[in-house]
Amino acid sequence: MTSLGLRLRIFLFFVLLAVGGTGGVLLSLWFGHARAVQTSVADGFLLAAILSALALLGLTAGIWLLFDENVAKPIDKLAAEMRVRAHAGIYSQVDTHSARYLGDLAYAAEAVSGKLRGGAMETAQKVALETERLAMERARLTALLTEIPVAMILASPTGHIVLYDGQAAEILSQSHVPRLNAALSDYFRADGLSRAVREMHRTGREVAFTAEGTDGAQSYDARLKPMQGGGYMMVIEGAETHMPPEAERPLVYDFDLITRQVPGTVEETPLAQLVCTVFDSETTGLLPHKDEVVQIGAVRVLNGRIVPGEVFDLLVDPGIPIPPASSRVHKVTDAMVAGAPDIGEAGRRFHRFAKDSVIVAHNAPFDMAFLRRHRARMGVAWDHPILDTVLLSAVLFGASQPHTLDALSKRLDVDIPAQLRHTALGDAHATAQVLVRMIRMLEARGMTTFGDVLEETRKHGRLLEDLN
């Protein structure tokens, strides 16, 4: 069959339907005639009609299965592979075996991809050279700022963090993990900060004030300076870093946040502008109603990019022994979690890290069930919008494809080092890379807002029910 042309193969489907249908009807009439001879004409016609209907239904179902398996599914798979190349920038060999009955289509797609890849490689080389130059300049700037005993934070007109340097990162971490787009009031007491901002806007000049940490244990001599074009800079005097040089954090920024327009609802938010907390948890077992969390890992995705350095990695004391079978999977042992925070404290810390963001996970109902079960103990409400990469995979690649994290990572050329697989932070980082690639593909399919994606994922909700 592989030597036949695509049009001829499709023609043969219809020939089979016509010949098989005709044969089924004739055979049914023969049986009906035999029945009529033995009983009555009415009985004969009734038997012939029933047998004809069953034959046509069976034949149609059989031919549909053949067509679906050999034509429809391979076309869907080929289309998904082409979208991965076009929108996610991933190049992999076209699966010509699954498309073996599609004539020259797979080979033509491979040829087009090869030509486009050649041009893209040349462009990528030029971009890489320029990126390397910018990275060197950024490294020099970071090293220079590290030597200056001043912590620097740039805030948007709405008071959200746009940039922070290494010293500022250490000061912010006294409250909790530094985060781009987080409100400064998450880290410094709002009353003193608000007064200084109002005074700065009133005078249009630099304002000195005492910035008190939200924990009440820290206070800093700080200055606010208005910036041209909106926003302001917060400088903390005499900031000293106690981190070793190899652990110093880089300069973290996203200047698009200065002019970012906040949509009325999260459903109206463009996909590329979503603030996402991508997380994974490791547990003592697979039963959310009785097992416990032993590790939570998360990274942040902002404006379609993974934010370097903004990670959450915490061991959790489950309060029960960790079964050896589970430890063999995630490598977390009873000795490792001794003295670690319990789920109440760990949940509160993670809740702060995920504040004002969309929570993303691979098979989110499983991981969220552990957190929601202890929400009273944590004293928080898990009311974040949720996005599930299993459902995104079904939207992009079809429900019939495998949707495990390993399968999705292979499809999108995401490398998960073996030593990080089945660790909370390792799986969270892999899921984040998958998400970034899929966002571009979803936008190319016309799903440009969070609401658009939610509407599509609801069509595949049964997948998660079956998975869990």
Side-chain angles (χ1 to χ4, degrees):
M1 288 289 291
T2 56
S3 62
L4 301 179
L6 177 60
R7 294 180 65 195
L8 179 56
R9 287 195 206 98
I10 293 178
F11 171 72
L12 289 178
F13 275 112
F14 289 95
V15 169
L16 180 59
L17 186 61
V19 172
T22 302
V25 170
L26 291 176
L27 190 60
S28 299
L29 289 173
W30 184 81
F31 277 111
H33 177 266
R35 177 73 173 179
V37 170
Q38 295 176 0
T39 57
S40 66
V41 174
D43 286 346
F45 273 113
L46 180 60
L47 178 62
I50 293 173
L51 293 177
S52 296
L54 292 175
L56 290 174
L57 286 173
L59 181 65
T60 302
I63 292 177
W64 174 79
L65 288 172
L66 284 173
F67 191 88
D68 185 60
E69 192 66 32
N70 296 293
V71 178
K73 284 184 180 178
I75 288 176
D76 277 346
K77 186 175 182 181
L78 183 60
E81 290 177 352
M82 294 299 293
R83 287 195 176 277
V84 167
R85 288 167 174 75
H87 308 301
I90 307 301
Y91 181 83
S92 59
Q93 194 74 21
V94 170
D95 185 1
T96 53
H97 178 74
S98 65
R100 61 191 181 278
Y101 297 123
L102 298 182
D104 192 44
L105 183 59
Y107 299 99
E110 180 70 21
V112 171
S113 295
K115 287 288 185 182
L116 293 175
R117 181 170 179 256
M121 289 282 288
E122 184 178 347
T123 302
Q125 289 175 353
K126 295 178 181 178
V127 172
L129 290 174
E130 182 64 17
T131 301
E132 184 179 0
R133 184 185 68 80
L134 293 174
M136 292 176 63
E137 291 184 359
R138 177 174 172 172
R140 293 191 189 102
L141 177 60
T142 300
L144 176 63
L145 291 174
T146 299
E147 297 300 322
I148 302 175
V150 172
M152 191 168 56
I153 303 171
L154 183 62
S156 69
T158 58
H160 290 76
I161 298 174
V162 173
L163 174 149
Y164 58 86
D165 63 5
Q167 287 89 339
E170 188 171 355
I171 290 174
L172 295 174
S173 65
Q174 299 301 314
S175 298
H176 49 92
V177 179
R179 309 180 329 273
L180 287 179
N181 203 50
L184 274 175
S185 57
D186 286 353
Y187 301 91
F188 304 102
R189 290 190 57 168
D191 49 358
L193 182 63
S194 298
R195 283 195 300 269
V197 171
R198 286 196 299 269
E199 181 66 15
M200 178 192 69
H201 287 317
R202 187 184 69 81
T203 63
R205 296 180 180 179
E206 186 175 297
V207 173
F209 76 110
T210 299
E212 297 183 42
T214 53
D215 59 0
Q218 307 288 334
S219 64
Y220 309 92
D221 294 328
R223 291 181 288 117
L224 296 184
K225 180 179 179 179
M227 300 294 293
Q228 187 176 3
Y232 55 89
M233 181 182 293
M234 180 176 179
V235 177
I236 299 176
E237 304 283 358
E240 296 182 1
T241 176
H242 304 289
M243 303 172 68
E246 65 274 9
E248 288 175 355
R249 295 172 59 95
L251 189 68
V252 182
Y253 61 88
D254 189 333
F255 292 122
D256 290 338
L257 296 174
I258 295 178
T259 56
R260 178 187 177 118
Q261 299 295 320
V262 180
T265 64
V266 67
E267 287 80 9
E268 297 171 354
T269 304
L271 282 183
Q273 294 183 16
L274 282 179
V275 179
C276 298
T277 299
V278 187
F279 93 106
D280 182 66
S281 62
E282 300 300 331
T283 61
T284 59
L286 301 176
L287 301 175
H289 66 280
K290 61 178 290 188
D291 285 308
E292 300 290 348
V293 173
V294 299
Q295 188 179 36
I296 302 174
V299 300
R300 280 169 46 88
V301 172
L302 180 64
N303 287 341
R305 297 185 295 272
I306 298 174
V307 183
E310 295 191 355
V311 300
F312 185 91
D313 188 15
L314 187 65
L315 290 170
V316 183
D317 185 351
I320 60 174
I322 303 175
S326 298
S327 293
R328 283 194 292 272
V329 175
H330 49 56
K331 308 299 188 296
V332 179
T333 64
D334 290 324
M336 293 170 62
V337 300
D342 65 8
I343 188 61
E345 174 61 23
R348 284 190 291 273
R349 292 188 194 179
F350 178 57
H351 192 272
R352 288 197 299 269
F353 183 75
K355 184 179 179 181
D356 298 326
S357 70
V358 175
I359 287 182
V360 182
H362 196 77
N363 188 16
F366 175 80
D367 296 282
M368 291 304 299
F370 287 90
L371 299 179
R372 286 174 173 149
R373 175 179 153 212
H374 294 292
R375 59 185 177 272
R377 187 172 168 187
M378 299 171 187
V380 300
W382 292 101
D383 52 5
H384 302 67
I386 305 291
L387 202 54
D388 197 306
T389 48
V390 171
L391 298 183
L392 295 183
S393 176
V395 169
L396 290 171
F397 304 110
S400 63
Q401 296 297 315
H403 303 294
T404 64
L405 184 56
D406 287 315
L408 198 50
S409 297
K410 181 178 180 181
R411 194 176 297 140
L412 294 173
D413 196 26
V414 171
D415 181 42
I416 310 179
Q419 68 273 19
L420 296 180
R421 184 68 174 102
H422 293 301
T423 67
L425 186 57
D427 285 358
H429 203 274
T431 304
Q433 294 181 68
V434 163
L435 174 68
V436 168
R437 286 162 168 78
M438 289 198 294
I439 283 176
R440 295 195 291 266
M441 297 177 66
L442 290 164
E443 289 177 326
R445 292 275 296 272
M447 290 167 270
T448 57
T449 67
F450 182 64
D452 294 337
V453 172
L454 281 185
E455 186 177 347
E456 287 298 315
T457 56
R458 289 190 183 107
K459 299 175 183 177
H460 299 278
R462 181 61 185 272
L463 267 178
L464 294 180
E465 295 176 16
D466 294 340
L467 190 61
N468 290 297

